[in-house]
Amino acid sequence: SQQGEEDPQALSIQEGENATMNCSYKTSINNLQWYRQNSGRGLVHLILIRSNEREKHSGRLRVTLDTSKKSSSLLITASRAADTASYFCATGPDGGATNKLIFGTGTLLAVQP
Amino acid sequence: NAGVMQNPRHLVRRRGQEARLRCSPMKGHSHVYWYRQLPEEGLKFMVYLQKENIIDESGMPKERFSAEFPKEGPSILRIQQVVRGDSAAYFCASSLLDVLNTGELFFGEGSRLTVL
């Protein structure tokens, strides 16, 4: 089963609005990362938050992490048409046998100009 | 400093043929990961390699699929006797640190395999 599941699956907003995407995961993690993928392209790393952090900012991005609920959210403020893409969360291992990033199913964000 | 380079970008094969996908990691990166992405889906982990070693191949089918990362040259993902279900985008990623030490992954643009 998926380690990470994003919610919603798809989101359509107007330029200037904020977009919030959520990610839930199942097992203990060392870190959680968010990536962006434009259609037909590779993934680009956006931000990483460690398991001992609760919130992190990078430009118009704000990420929160609640390890008790095993969930994270990505907020994009003042969205632009260029933010249209799929957004994936990915979880890193907690030091166990796995040593790889597990990706969620993604949220497709459409920002209407 | 070039990014992760994958080739070919597009590959068409007939059922039963072999597909060979190449990935050159970013300079200085010794950790390479291969992921598969089906249309409208997320990325599924296949294999994690370091130079000359397969570290984790738990996501790779036992038959027909193999991967290597030789001392010299690119990492290769090889699919023998391809079937239609192998049609997908295959992404390679590299990192400076391993994921356990919070390594950020740098992705290539992917190789899109179509099996006729």
Side-chain angles (χ1 to χ4, degrees), chain A residues 2 30-31 33 35 37 40-45 48 50 88 92-105 108, chain B residues 9 33 35 37 40-45 48 50 55-56 58 91 98-110 112:
Chain A
Q2 282 288 347
N30 172 281
N31 66 81
Q33 304 181 29
Y35 287 78
Q37 184 181 33
R41 307 294 299 274
L43 278 74
V44 175
H45 180 265
L48 179 153
R50 294 182 173 79
F88 295 91
D94 65 348
T98 57
N99 192 16
K100 53 189 177 277
L101 280 184
I102 305 296
F103 283 83
T105 50
L108 178 58
Chain B
R9 289 292 308 277
Y33 303 81
Y35 287 84
Q37 185 178 37
E40 312 301 325
E41 293 190 11
L43 275 72
K44 298 287 196 294
F45 168 79
Y48 163 42
Q50 293 181 29
I55 307 301
D56 183 342
S58 59
F91 288 94
D98 69 25
V99 174
L100 189 62
N101 289 292
T102 63
E104 165 191 342
L105 296 189
F106 292 81
F107 280 83
E109 294 290 354
R112 281 150 185 83

Side-chain angles (χ1 to χ4, degrees), chain B residues 32-77:
Chain B
V32 167
Y33 303 81
W34 285 93
Y35 287 84
R36 177 163 67 177
Q37 185 178 37
L38 294 171
E40 312 301 325
E41 293 190 11
L43 275 72
K44 298 287 196 294
F45 168 79
M46 298 183 74
V47 61
Y48 163 42
L49 310 104
Q50 293 181 29
K51 282 287 187 183
E52 300 185 272
N53 288 305
I54 297 175
I55 307 301
D56 183 342
E57 57 182 348
S58 59
M60 200 157 65
K62 295 285 188 289
E63 298 179 354
R64 303 189 298 108
F65 286 72
S66 62
E68 63 177 10
F69 188 16
K71 187 176 180 182
E72 301 291 336
S75 175
I76 307 281
L77 179 67

Side-chain angles (χ1 to χ4, degrees), chain A residues 51-103:
Chain A
S51 59
N52 60 354
E53 297 177 309
R54 291 296 165 259
E55 188 171 313
K56 203 160 183 180
H57 296 255
S58 176
R60 293 184 296 114
L61 305 180
R62 173 179 166 245
V63 169
T64 62
L65 179 64
D66 187 336
T67 52
S68 66
K69 294 181 179 177
K70 292 187 166 56
S71 67
S72 173
S73 67
L74 171 67
L75 168 67
I76 304 174
T77 60
S79 63
R80 305 165 182 167
D83 294 329
T84 295
S86 292
Y87 292 82
F88 295 91
C89 68
T91 50
D94 65 348
T98 57
N99 192 16
K100 53 189 177 277
L101 280 184
I102 305 296
F103 283 83

